[in-house]
Amino acid sequence: MTVTRPARLTGAAVCAALALIAAVWILEDLAALGSPADLAWSWTGDPGSQYFLRGRVATSLADPLLLVVSVATAVAALRSRHAASALVATGAVTLALRLPGLWAPGSGALVTALLDLALAVGLVATAAAGRRRADGPHEQLPTRPRTGPAVTAGVLLLIGAVGVVLWEADTAVQLPPEITVDRFLGGRSLMGPALAPPPGWVAVILVALYGTAAASAFARARHTRAFGLLAGAFLTTTGLALLARVLRFELIEHFAEARTIEQMYVLTAVFGVLGGLTVLALLAGRGVPVAAPAPYGSYGPPPAPPYPPPPGW
């Protein structure tokens, strides 16, 4: 399946609009703070930074990540006829991350959620409406990933999904039930940025994204690259955010003396960065070339004429 040129141009324009919305909010936060370092620390989820910057920052780690993903998808739509899976993956993730903004307090978050949700739905619809079958047997199809890299990437993503589930289970055990519900659906107990989705909600999205990408990798589906690269980007980015907090509290330097929970934070951060980069490297390479169809189909070449030819041949 390929994507028509009008659909590709429309998808690129929608992605550019999504990137523009995220960029406007990021620039507004940067103008309010005047310090890129403070804004970056707030994106890492550092409790100290979020406490002092509470009410002054609207964006979270999801916003710069959606900005980068939208730009990358726009470029892919302009360059490749096989960008349908990339458009669908970007639209689905944007839809999931912006949905909690519909019931979040603040008019800015609501307007942004409505705009992004409309654009995300339009992106998925554009990819679906613009798909067409190959014109002939000689038209190139999206390649499947090679078995070794695909299985390795799938295992790494599956480990990442299990890690998210375990961390959320540990958090749910330690917190009161009403706060646990707020972590998934939003509520007054959460004091994060205005555009930030609830952390439990993000965890569900990550598990679904990692699981979907892992299943695609194990099946060596043609859309593995789009979902796998997106999942690898999320795994790397969340790992970098956690690694920044780990380095700030000097947990790596005192790893042997740290508590077990702190050591697990260090291991999770290191795995997120290394595992995510590995997934990106494995799935960014070329897939298995599509074999050219046989010139005579499945019946083979025509039989040679008899020799010597019979009378009247």
Side-chain angles (χ1 to χ4, degrees), residues 107-183:
S107 58
L110 177 60
V111 172
T112 301
L114 290 174
L115 288 175
D116 278 357
L117 290 176
L119 291 172
V121 172
L123 197 61
V124 176
T126 299
R131 297 181 67 183
R132 62 179 177 82
R133 295 191 176 274
D135 292 336
H138 298 286
E139 183 172 344
Q140 186 178 4
L141 296 174
T143 58
R144 298 181 183 274
R146 300 182 184 275
T147 303
V151 172
T152 304
V155 171
L156 292 174
L157 291 172
L158 199 59
I159 294 174
V162 172
V164 174
V165 172
L166 293 178
W167 276 115
E168 281 303 312
D170 178 75
T171 303
V173 169
Q174 299 182 23
L175 295 178
E178 59 273 13
I179 297 181
T180 300
V181 173
D182 287 349
R183 280 179 52 82

Side-chain angles (χ1 to χ4, degrees), residues 17 24 40 69 137 167 171-172 174 180 190 192 194 221 227 246 266 283 291 305:
V24 168
V69 169
W167 276 115
T171 303
Q174 299 182 23
T180 300
L190 299 179
F227 283 89
V246 165
V266 174
L283 297 182

